[in-house]
Amino acid sequence: MRPRAVAVVGVQWGDEGKGKVVDLLSAAADVIVRFQGGNNAGHTLVVDGQRFVLHLVPAGALHAGKTCVIGNGVVIDPAVLLEEITDLRRRGHLQGDDALKVSTQAHLILPYHRLLDRAREARGGPGRLGTTGRGIGPAYEDKMARRGIRVADLMDEATFRERLAYNLDEKGPYVRAALGEEMPSLAALLDQFGGYRERLRPYVINTSRFVDAALTSGRAVLFEGAQGTMLDIDHGTYPYVTSSSTVAGGAAAGAGIAPARIAAVMGISKAYTTRVGEGPFPTELADEVGEKLRHDGEEFGATTGRPRRCGWFDAVIDAEAARLNGLTALAVTKLDVLSGLARIRLCVGYTAGGAPLADLPATPRAWSQVQPVYEEMDGWTGDISKARRLDDLPAAARRYLDRLAELVGVPLALVSIGAGRDETIMLRDPFAG
Ligand code: IMP
Protein backbone atom coordinates (compact mmCIF):
# COMPACT_ATOMS: atom_id res chain seq x y z
CA MET A 1 0.00 0.00 0.00
CA ARG A 2 1.22 3.51 -0.78
CA PRO A 3 2.19 5.45 2.33
CA ARG A 4 -0.35 8.19 2.99
CA ALA A 5 1.57 9.84 5.81
CA VAL A 6 5.21 10.73 5.38
CA ALA A 7 7.32 12.64 7.88
CA VAL A 8 10.33 14.69 6.89
CA VAL A 9 12.86 15.41 9.63
CA GLY A 10 16.29 16.95 9.91
CA VAL A 11 18.95 14.54 11.11
CA GLN A 12 21.64 17.02 12.12
CA TRP A 13 21.43 20.39 13.90
CA GLY A 14 18.83 21.93 11.60
CA ASP A 15 19.30 23.81 8.33
CA GLU A 16 19.59 20.57 6.35
CA GLY A 17 17.48 21.90 3.52
CA LYS A 18 14.16 20.47 4.68
CA GLY A 19 12.30 23.40 3.14
CA LYS A 20 13.39 22.54 -0.37
CA VAL A 21 12.64 18.83 0.09
CA VAL A 22 9.22 19.50 1.64
CA ASP A 23 8.45 21.86 -1.22
CA LEU A 24 9.32 19.11 -3.72
CA LEU A 25 7.44 16.35 -1.92
CA SER A 26 4.44 18.63 -1.45
CA ALA A 27 3.63 18.17 -5.12
CA ALA A 28 2.41 14.64 -4.21
CA ALA A 29 0.80 15.65 -0.89
CA ASP A 30 -2.63 17.08 -0.16
CA VAL A 31 -1.95 18.33 3.34
CA ILE A 32 1.34 19.62 4.79
CA VAL A 33 1.63 19.86 8.57
CA ARG A 34 4.07 21.63 10.88
CA PHE A 35 4.10 19.82 14.23
CA GLN A 36 6.72 21.52 16.41
CA GLY A 37 8.94 24.57 16.77
CA GLY A 38 8.02 28.06 15.75
CA ASN A 39 9.58 30.94 13.91
CA ASN A 40 13.02 29.84 15.06
CA ALA A 41 12.85 27.85 11.83
CA GLY A 42 13.59 29.49 8.53
CA HIS A 43 13.15 27.85 5.16
CA THR A 44 14.63 29.60 2.19
CA LEU A 45 13.00 28.48 -1.03
CA VAL A 46 13.76 29.48 -4.57
CA VAL A 47 10.80 28.87 -6.87
CA ASP A 48 10.82 30.17 -10.45
CA GLY A 49 13.68 32.46 -9.52
CA GLN A 50 11.68 34.00 -6.68
CA ARG A 51 13.01 33.74 -3.16
CA PHE A 52 10.72 32.93 -0.24
CA VAL A 53 11.69 32.72 3.41
CA LEU A 54 9.09 30.88 5.48
CA HIS A 55 9.21 30.65 9.25
CA LEU A 56 5.84 29.25 10.27
CA VAL A 57 3.71 28.40 7.27
CA PRO A 58 4.66 24.93 5.94
CA ALA A 59 6.86 24.91 2.87
CA GLY A 60 4.00 23.25 0.96
CA ALA A 61 2.42 26.71 0.68
CA LEU A 62 4.11 27.28 -2.65
CA HIS A 63 1.94 24.65 -4.36
CA ALA A 64 -1.60 25.59 -5.29
CA GLY A 65 -4.52 23.59 -3.95
CA LYS A 66 -2.82 22.21 -0.84
CA THR A 67 -3.85 22.64 2.77
CA CYS A 68 -1.13 23.84 5.12
CA VAL A 69 -1.62 23.03 8.78
CA ILE A 70 0.02 24.54 11.83
CA GLY A 71 -0.44 21.82 14.42
CA ASN A 72 -0.91 21.88 18.17
CA GLY A 73 2.80 21.26 18.84
CA VAL A 74 3.86 24.53 17.24
CA VAL A 75 4.39 27.79 19.13
CA ILE A 76 2.98 30.73 17.18
CA ASP A 77 4.04 34.34 17.15
CA PRO A 78 0.86 35.80 15.65
CA ALA A 79 2.60 38.89 14.27
CA VAL A 80 5.04 36.71 12.32
CA LEU A 81 2.31 34.35 11.11
CA LEU A 82 0.06 37.17 9.90
CA GLU A 83 2.92 38.86 8.11
CA GLU A 84 3.81 35.61 6.37
CA ILE A 85 0.20 35.00 5.35
CA THR A 86 -0.09 38.52 3.97
CA ASP A 87 3.13 38.21 1.98
CA LEU A 88 2.25 34.78 0.57
CA ARG A 89 -1.24 35.89 -0.41
CA ARG A 90 0.11 39.05 -2.05
CA ARG A 91 2.42 36.88 -4.13
CA GLY A 92 -0.44 34.62 -5.26
CA HIS A 93 -0.09 31.76 -2.76
CA LEU A 94 -2.32 30.46 0.05
CA GLN A 95 -5.46 31.21 -1.96
CA GLY A 96 -8.82 29.76 -1.01
CA ASP A 97 -10.56 28.91 2.24
CA ASP A 98 -8.77 25.64 2.78
CA ALA A 99 -5.22 26.85 2.21
CA LEU A 100 -4.31 27.22 5.87
CA LYS A 101 -5.51 25.75 9.16
CA VAL A 102 -4.20 26.73 12.58
CA SER A 103 -4.70 24.58 15.67
CA THR A 104 -6.84 25.86 18.52
CA GLN A 105 -4.34 24.11 20.81
CA ALA A 106 -1.12 25.67 19.54
CA HIS A 107 0.52 27.93 22.10
CA LEU A 108 1.20 31.59 21.53
CA ILE A 109 4.53 33.35 21.75
CA LEU A 110 3.96 36.63 23.54
CA PRO A 111 6.32 39.62 23.55
CA TYR A 112 7.44 38.73 27.07
CA HIS A 113 8.67 35.36 25.82
CA ARG A 114 11.01 37.13 23.44
CA LEU A 115 12.05 39.49 26.19
CA LEU A 116 12.86 36.59 28.52
CA ASP A 117 14.73 34.70 25.80
CA ARG A 118 16.89 37.68 24.86
CA ALA A 119 17.51 38.85 28.43
CA ARG A 120 18.66 35.37 29.46
CA GLU A 121 20.94 35.08 26.47
CA ALA A 122 22.35 38.55 27.17
CA ARG A 123 23.38 37.46 30.66
CA GLY A 124 25.95 35.15 29.04
CA GLY A 125 27.68 32.46 31.08
CA PRO A 126 26.88 28.76 30.93
CA GLY A 127 23.18 29.50 30.43
CA ARG A 128 23.82 31.06 27.05
CA LEU A 129 22.67 28.70 24.31
CA GLY A 130 22.87 30.91 21.26
CA THR A 131 19.11 30.79 20.72
CA THR A 132 17.37 32.52 17.86
CA GLY A 133 15.91 35.01 20.36
CA ARG A 134 12.37 34.39 19.14
CA GLY A 135 10.95 33.44 22.54
CA ILE A 136 10.68 29.74 21.70
CA GLY A 137 12.08 28.33 24.96
CA PRO A 138 10.04 30.58 27.28
CA ALA A 139 6.83 29.86 25.32
CA TYR A 140 7.35 26.09 25.68
CA GLU A 141 8.25 26.61 29.35
CA ASP A 142 4.86 28.19 29.91
CA LYS A 143 3.15 25.41 27.97
CA MET A 144 4.73 22.73 30.15
CA ALA A 145 4.12 24.75 33.32
CA ARG A 146 0.46 24.95 32.30
CA ARG A 147 0.31 28.70 32.27
CA GLY A 148 0.63 29.09 28.50
CA ILE A 149 -1.90 30.89 26.34
CA ARG A 150 -3.29 28.96 23.41
CA VAL A 151 -4.80 30.07 20.14
CA ALA A 152 -8.26 29.13 21.45
CA ASP A 153 -7.67 31.39 24.47
CA LEU A 154 -6.86 34.29 22.19
CA MET A 155 -10.12 33.70 20.32
CA ASP A 156 -12.03 34.20 23.56
CA GLU A 157 -11.50 37.76 24.77
CA ALA A 158 -12.33 37.18 28.44
CA THR A 159 -10.14 34.09 28.73
CA PHE A 160 -7.28 35.84 26.99
CA ARG A 161 -7.45 38.82 29.36
CA GLU A 162 -7.56 36.58 32.42
CA ARG A 163 -4.63 34.40 31.36
CA LEU A 164 -2.59 37.35 30.23
CA ALA A 165 -3.10 39.22 33.51
CA TYR A 166 -2.06 36.12 35.43
CA ASN A 167 1.10 35.74 33.37
CA LEU A 168 2.07 39.40 33.72
CA ASP A 169 1.64 39.18 37.49
CA GLU A 170 3.52 35.96 37.72
CA LYS A 171 6.52 37.00 35.61
CA GLY A 172 6.75 40.71 36.41
CA PRO A 173 8.77 40.47 39.65
CA TYR A 174 11.22 37.94 38.18
CA VAL A 175 11.73 39.95 35.01
CA ARG A 176 12.35 43.11 37.03
CA ALA A 177 14.56 41.66 39.76
CA ALA A 178 16.54 39.04 37.87
CA LEU A 179 16.75 40.49 34.40
CA GLY A 180 16.35 44.24 35.03
CA GLU A 181 13.58 44.43 32.42
CA GLU A 182 9.97 45.60 32.48
CA MET A 183 7.03 43.54 31.24
CA PRO A 184 4.78 45.10 28.60
CA SER A 185 1.52 46.44 30.06
CA LEU A 186 -1.75 44.51 30.02
CA ALA A 187 -3.46 47.30 28.11
CA ALA A 188 -0.79 47.36 25.39
CA LEU A 189 -0.90 43.57 24.94
CA LEU A 190 -4.71 43.46 24.89
CA ASP A 191 -4.69 46.10 22.24
CA GLN A 192 -2.00 44.42 20.12
CA PHE A 193 -3.44 40.91 20.36
CA GLY A 194 -7.01 42.14 19.98
CA GLY A 195 -5.93 43.19 16.51
CA TYR A 196 -4.69 39.67 15.73
CA ARG A 197 -7.83 37.89 17.00
CA GLU A 198 -10.18 38.47 14.09
CA ARG A 199 -7.46 38.23 11.48
CA LEU A 200 -6.50 34.75 12.70
CA ARG A 201 -10.00 33.46 13.42
CA PRO A 202 -10.80 32.21 9.89
CA TYR A 203 -7.91 29.76 10.05
CA VAL A 204 -8.48 28.36 13.53
CA ILE A 205 -9.87 24.83 13.86
CA ASN A 206 -9.28 21.51 15.60
CA THR A 207 -6.41 20.47 13.32
CA SER A 208 -5.97 17.08 14.98
CA ARG A 209 -9.38 16.03 13.69
CA PHE A 210 -8.75 17.69 10.34
CA VAL A 211 -5.51 15.79 9.72
CA ASP A 212 -6.98 12.55 10.98
CA ALA A 213 -9.98 12.90 8.68
CA ALA A 214 -7.69 13.69 5.76
CA LEU A 215 -5.76 10.46 6.37
CA THR A 216 -8.94 8.43 6.81
CA SER A 217 -10.23 9.66 3.48
CA GLY A 218 -6.99 8.59 1.78
CA ARG A 219 -5.42 11.99 1.30
CA ALA A 220 -1.61 12.21 1.38
CA VAL A 221 -0.21 14.06 4.38
CA LEU A 222 3.33 15.33 4.77
CA PHE A 223 4.62 16.14 8.23
CA GLU A 224 7.26 18.82 8.06
CA GLY A 225 9.80 18.79 10.87
CA ALA A 226 11.70 21.88 11.88
CA GLN A 227 15.23 22.05 13.33
CA GLY A 228 17.02 18.69 13.54
CA THR A 229 17.39 15.53 15.59
CA MET A 230 20.49 16.79 17.42
CA LEU A 231 18.42 19.80 18.57
CA ASP A 232 15.68 17.56 20.00
CA ILE A 233 14.79 18.44 23.59
CA ASP A 234 15.36 14.83 24.75
CA HIS A 235 17.70 13.26 22.22
CA GLY A 236 19.84 16.20 21.14
CA THR A 237 23.00 17.68 22.59
CA TYR A 238 21.22 18.91 25.72
CA PRO A 239 21.16 21.67 26.94
CA TYR A 240 22.27 23.04 23.56
CA VAL A 241 18.97 22.12 21.93
CA THR A 242 15.63 23.67 21.09
CA SER A 243 12.57 23.21 23.29
CA SER A 244 10.52 20.77 21.23
CA SER A 245 10.52 17.15 20.04
CA THR A 246 12.08 17.34 16.62
CA VAL A 247 12.15 13.56 16.07
CA ALA A 248 9.55 11.79 13.94
CA GLY A 249 7.79 10.61 17.10
CA GLY A 250 7.02 14.28 17.76
CA ALA A 251 4.85 14.37 14.64
CA ALA A 252 2.19 12.18 16.25
CA ALA A 253 1.90 14.24 19.44
CA GLY A 254 2.46 17.58 17.72
CA ALA A 255 -0.17 16.99 15.05
CA GLY A 256 -2.61 14.93 17.11
CA ILE A 257 -2.59 11.70 15.13
CA ALA A 258 -1.81 8.10 16.09
CA PRO A 259 1.88 7.12 15.69
CA ALA A 260 1.06 4.10 13.52
CA ARG A 261 -0.36 6.44 10.90
CA ILE A 262 3.15 7.52 9.90
CA ALA A 263 4.26 5.03 7.31
CA ALA A 264 7.51 6.54 6.07
CA VAL A 265 10.13 8.88 7.48
CA MET A 266 12.56 10.72 5.29
CA GLY A 267 15.65 12.11 6.97
CA ILE A 268 17.34 15.15 5.49
CA SER A 269 21.09 15.50 5.87
CA LYS A 270 23.59 17.86 4.37
CA ALA A 271 26.54 16.23 2.62
CA TYR A 272 28.57 17.92 5.37
CA THR A 273 27.54 19.28 8.77
CA THR A 274 26.60 22.69 10.13
CA ARG A 275 25.24 24.11 13.33
CA VAL A 276 24.29 27.57 14.59
CA GLY A 277 24.47 28.60 18.19
CA GLU A 278 26.48 27.07 21.00
CA GLY A 279 27.09 23.40 21.72
CA PRO A 280 29.08 20.31 20.79
CA PHE A 281 30.14 19.76 17.19
CA PRO A 282 32.91 17.14 16.92
CA THR A 283 33.64 17.54 13.20
CA GLU A 284 33.71 21.35 13.20
CA LEU A 285 36.39 22.88 10.98
CA ALA A 286 38.12 26.10 11.99
CA ASP A 287 40.27 26.17 8.85
CA GLU A 288 39.96 27.21 5.21
CA VAL A 289 37.82 24.12 4.40
CA GLY A 290 35.26 25.30 6.98
CA GLU A 291 35.45 28.75 5.39
CA LYS A 292 34.90 27.29 1.91
CA LEU A 293 31.83 25.37 3.09
CA ARG A 294 30.41 28.52 4.71
CA HIS A 295 31.10 30.60 1.62
CA ASP A 296 30.05 28.15 -1.12
CA GLY A 297 27.13 26.81 0.93
CA GLU A 298 25.99 30.33 1.88
CA GLU A 299 25.89 29.10 5.44
CA PHE A 300 24.26 32.03 7.16
CA GLY A 301 21.08 31.57 9.20
CA ALA A 302 17.78 32.18 7.37
CA THR A 303 16.27 33.46 10.61
CA THR A 304 19.06 35.37 12.32
CA GLY A 305 21.69 35.83 9.59
CA ARG A 306 24.32 34.34 11.90
CA PRO A 307 27.25 32.56 10.23
CA ARG A 308 26.83 28.82 10.66
CA ARG A 309 29.60 26.65 12.05
CA CYS A 310 30.71 24.18 9.37
CA GLY A 311 32.41 20.78 9.43
CA TRP A 312 32.75 17.34 7.85
CA PHE A 313 29.88 14.90 7.52
CA ASP A 314 29.35 13.03 10.79
CA ALA A 315 27.97 9.53 10.26
CA VAL A 316 27.74 8.94 14.01
CA ILE A 317 25.00 11.52 14.50
CA ASP A 318 23.30 10.67 11.23
CA ALA A 319 23.15 6.98 12.14
CA GLU A 320 21.83 7.86 15.58
CA ALA A 321 19.16 9.96 13.89
CA ALA A 322 18.33 7.04 11.58
CA ARG A 323 17.66 4.94 14.67
CA LEU A 324 15.73 7.58 16.61
CA ASN A 325 13.49 8.51 13.71
CA GLY A 326 13.16 5.11 12.09
CA LEU A 327 14.29 6.59 8.81
CA THR A 328 13.04 4.77 5.75
CA ALA A 329 14.72 7.11 3.27
CA LEU A 330 17.61 9.54 3.22
CA ALA A 331 17.91 12.82 1.33
CA VAL A 332 21.37 14.32 0.98
CA THR A 333 21.49 18.04 0.28
CA LYS A 334 24.16 20.50 -0.83
CA LEU A 335 26.41 17.88 -2.40
CA ASP A 336 27.47 20.59 -4.87
CA VAL A 337 29.13 22.56 -2.06
CA LEU A 338 31.79 19.87 -1.69
CA SER A 339 32.90 20.24 -5.32
CA GLY A 340 36.49 21.43 -5.58
CA LEU A 341 37.83 19.73 -2.47
CA ALA A 342 40.77 17.41 -3.29
CA ARG A 343 40.02 15.11 -0.35
CA ILE A 344 36.81 14.75 1.65
CA ARG A 345 36.51 13.34 5.13
CA LEU A 346 33.64 11.48 6.75
CA CYS A 347 33.49 10.90 10.48
CA VAL A 348 32.87 7.18 10.99
CA GLY A 349 33.21 6.94 14.78
CA TYR A 350 34.14 8.71 17.99
CA THR A 351 36.89 8.04 20.50
CA ALA A 352 37.41 9.56 23.94
CA GLY A 353 40.68 9.16 25.87
CA GLY A 354 41.91 6.87 23.12
CA ALA A 355 39.04 4.38 23.45
CA PRO A 356 36.21 4.00 20.94
CA LEU A 357 32.84 5.28 22.13
CA ALA A 358 29.95 2.88 21.73
CA ASP A 359 27.36 5.47 22.65
CA LEU A 360 26.76 9.18 22.16
CA PRO A 361 28.03 11.31 25.07
CA ALA A 362 25.38 12.45 27.56
CA THR A 363 26.89 15.69 28.88
CA PRO A 364 28.59 18.70 27.29
CA ARG A 365 31.78 17.79 29.15
CA ALA A 366 31.75 14.27 27.71
CA TRP A 367 31.05 15.72 24.27
CA SER A 368 34.08 18.01 24.59
CA GLN A 369 36.33 14.95 24.97
CA VAL A 370 35.16 13.35 21.73
CA GLN A 371 37.70 12.85 18.96
CA PRO A 372 36.22 12.08 15.55
CA VAL A 373 37.61 9.12 13.62
CA TYR A 374 37.82 9.99 9.94
CA GLU A 375 37.81 8.11 6.70
CA GLU A 376 39.11 10.01 3.69
CA MET A 377 37.91 9.85 0.13
CA ASP A 378 38.83 11.50 -3.15
CA GLY A 379 36.96 14.66 -4.01
CA TRP A 380 35.77 15.87 -7.41
CA THR A 381 35.75 19.13 -9.32
CA GLY A 382 33.38 21.02 -11.55
CA ASP A 383 29.77 22.15 -11.48
CA ILE A 384 27.49 19.21 -10.66
CA SER A 385 24.27 21.22 -10.43
CA LYS A 386 23.14 20.04 -13.89
CA ALA A 387 23.11 16.37 -12.86
CA ARG A 388 19.63 14.83 -12.91
CA ARG A 389 20.60 11.20 -12.47
CA LEU A 390 23.25 9.62 -10.26
CA ASP A 391 25.10 8.62 -13.43
CA ASP A 392 25.52 12.29 -14.32
CA LEU A 393 27.68 12.79 -11.22
CA PRO A 394 31.46 12.35 -11.20
CA ALA A 395 32.44 8.85 -10.05
CA ALA A 396 34.04 10.22 -6.87
CA ALA A 397 30.79 11.98 -5.91
CA ARG A 398 28.83 8.77 -6.44
CA ARG A 399 31.31 6.84 -4.29
CA TYR A 400 30.98 9.48 -1.57
CA LEU A 401 27.17 9.23 -1.61
CA ASP A 402 27.26 5.42 -1.54
CA ARG A 403 29.60 5.38 1.42
CA LEU A 404 27.58 8.02 3.25
CA ALA A 405 24.31 6.11 2.83
CA GLU A 406 26.04 2.86 3.83
CA LEU A 407 27.34 4.45 7.04
CA VAL A 408 23.92 5.87 7.91
CA GLY A 409 22.27 2.57 7.01
CA VAL A 410 19.38 4.13 5.11
CA PRO A 411 18.68 4.00 1.35
CA LEU A 412 19.27 7.19 -0.56
CA ALA A 413 16.05 8.66 -1.95
CA LEU A 414 17.06 12.13 -3.08
CA VAL A 415 20.18 14.19 -3.73
CA SER A 416 20.08 17.97 -3.89
CA ILE A 417 22.75 19.79 -5.88
CA GLY A 418 21.47 23.37 -5.83
CA ALA A 419 18.73 25.57 -4.42
CA GLY A 420 16.35 25.36 -7.41
CA ARG A 421 13.55 22.80 -7.57
CA ASP A 422 15.07 21.20 -10.66
CA GLU A 423 18.54 20.92 -9.13
CA THR A 424 17.57 17.59 -7.66
CA ILE A 425 18.23 13.93 -8.33
CA MET A 426 15.05 12.14 -7.28
CA LEU A 427 15.60 8.43 -6.77
CA ARG A 428 12.52 7.38 -4.86
CA ASP A 429 9.31 9.22 -4.03
CA PRO A 430 8.43 8.36 -0.41
CA PHE A 431 4.70 8.63 -1.24
CA ALA A 432 5.17 5.92 -3.86
CA GLY A 433 6.19 3.41 -1.16
P1 IMP B 1 15.82 28.33 20.05
O1 IMP B 1 15.11 27.26 19.29
O2 IMP B 1 15.65 29.70 19.47
O3 IMP B 1 15.53 28.28 21.52
O4 IMP B 1 17.40 28.03 19.92
C1 IMP B 1 18.00 26.89 20.51
C2 IMP B 1 19.09 26.33 19.62
O5 IMP B 1 18.51 25.78 18.44
C3 IMP B 1 20.11 27.36 19.13
O6 IMP B 1 21.37 26.73 19.00
C4 IMP B 1 19.58 27.74 17.76
O7 IMP B 1 20.60 28.24 16.91
C5 IMP B 1 19.07 26.40 17.30
N1 IMP B 1 18.00 26.51 16.28
C6 IMP B 1 16.72 26.82 16.50
N2 IMP B 1 16.02 26.79 15.35
C7 IMP B 1 16.89 26.43 14.40
C8 IMP B 1 16.76 26.20 12.99
O8 IMP B 1 15.68 26.28 12.39
N3 IMP B 1 17.89 25.83 12.34
C9 IMP B 1 19.08 25.68 12.98
N4 IMP B 1 19.25 25.88 14.28
C10 IMP B 1 18.16 26.25 14.99
Side-chain angles (χ1 to χ4, degrees), residues 13-15 40-42 129-133 136-137 227 231 241-242 276-277 306:
W13 282 284
D15 306 319
N40 47 350
L129 305 175
T131 70
T132 61
I136 306 296
Q227 291 86 45
L231 288 172
V241 294
T242 191
V276 256
R306 290 179 291 176

Side-chain angles (χ1 to χ4, degrees), residues 17-304:
K18 293 178 293 294
K20 169 175 163 170
V21 175
V22 168
D23 169 61
L24 281 172
L25 300 186
S26 292
D30 302 300
V31 179
I32 303 98
V33 188
R34 273 283 303 266
F35 57 87
Q36 46 75 225
N39 61 312
N40 47 350
H43 289 153
T44 308
L45 297 164
V46 180
V47 175
D48 299 331
Q50 276 198 69
R51 196 165 173 274
F52 294 84
V53 182
L54 300 176
H55 297 288
L56 272 168
V57 174
L62 302 183
H63 291 267
K66 313 290 176 186
T67 301
C68 288
V69 174
I70 300 183
N72 57 274
V74 176
V75 285
I76 299 176
D77 185 328
V80 173
L81 177 58
L82 286 166
E83 197 182 306
E84 221 160 89
I85 295 172
T86 307
D87 182 54
L88 282 164
R89 282 185 173 273
R90 186 177 54 78
R91 296 166 78 179
H93 299 284
L94 279 191
Q95 308 293 319
D97 288 347
D98 268 343
L100 180 68
K101 306 287 177 197
V102 176
S103 169
T104 46
Q105 286 151 266
H107 279 248
L108 297 179
I109 299 179
L110 284 113
Y112 50 75
H113 293 132
R114 277 196 305 278
L115 186 147
L116 283 161
D117 192 357
R118 288 174 191 178
R120 284 180 188 148
E121 287 286 296
R123 292 180 78 192
R128 204 184 103 78
L129 305 175
T131 70
T132 61
R134 300 299 191 265
I136 306 296
Y140 278 116
E141 278 171 43
D142 278 355
K143 170 177 174 169
M144 291 309 180
R146 294 154 296 176
R147 58 177 171 248
I149 304 181
R150 309 205 291 185
V151 169
D153 300 327
L154 172 63
M155 294 302 122
D156 181 63
E157 200 173 338
T159 306
F160 183 64
R161 172 189 287 272
E162 189 186 298
R163 300 210 44 91
L164 192 56
Y166 168 70
N167 270 280
L168 293 177
D169 267 3
E170 194 261 342
K171 290 181 218 329
Y174 166 72
V175 164
R176 207 167 300 124
L179 304 173
E181 300 273 354
E182 276 304 320
M183 290 287 270
S185 76
L186 178 64
L189 288 177
L190 285 176
D191 186 47
Q192 183 186 357
F193 279 68
Y196 302 146
R197 181 175 297 118
E198 295 314 316
R199 290 176 65 199
L200 278 179
R201 195 183 298 280
Y203 307 107
V204 177
I205 62 161
N206 179 331
T207 53
S208 158
R209 283 187 169 261
F210 179 86
V211 175
D212 204 56
L215 285 167
T216 301
S217 65
R219 298 172 80 198
V221 180
L222 187 62
F223 296 91
E224 169 183 339
Q227 291 86 45
T229 301
M230 287 297 126
L231 288 172
D232 182 272
I233 185 71
D234 290 290
H235 307 290
T237 46
Y238 194 89
Y240 300 99
V241 294
T242 191
S243 298
S244 61
S245 295
T246 61
V247 290
I257 52 129
R261 292 276 206 181
I262 300 168
V265 183
M266 181 187 256
I268 319 294
S269 174
K270 273 181 189 158
Y272 49 97
T273 311
T274 66
R275 110 167 265 179
V276 256
E278 307 299 318
F281 183 176
T283 62
E284 183 169 12
L285 290 165
D287 59 6
E288 68 281 3
V289 176
E291 199 42 59
K292 172 202 153 59
L293 297 176
R294 187 155 35 248
H295 177 269
D296 292 1
E298 297 176 37
E299 297 294 357
F300 297 88
T303 297
T304 59

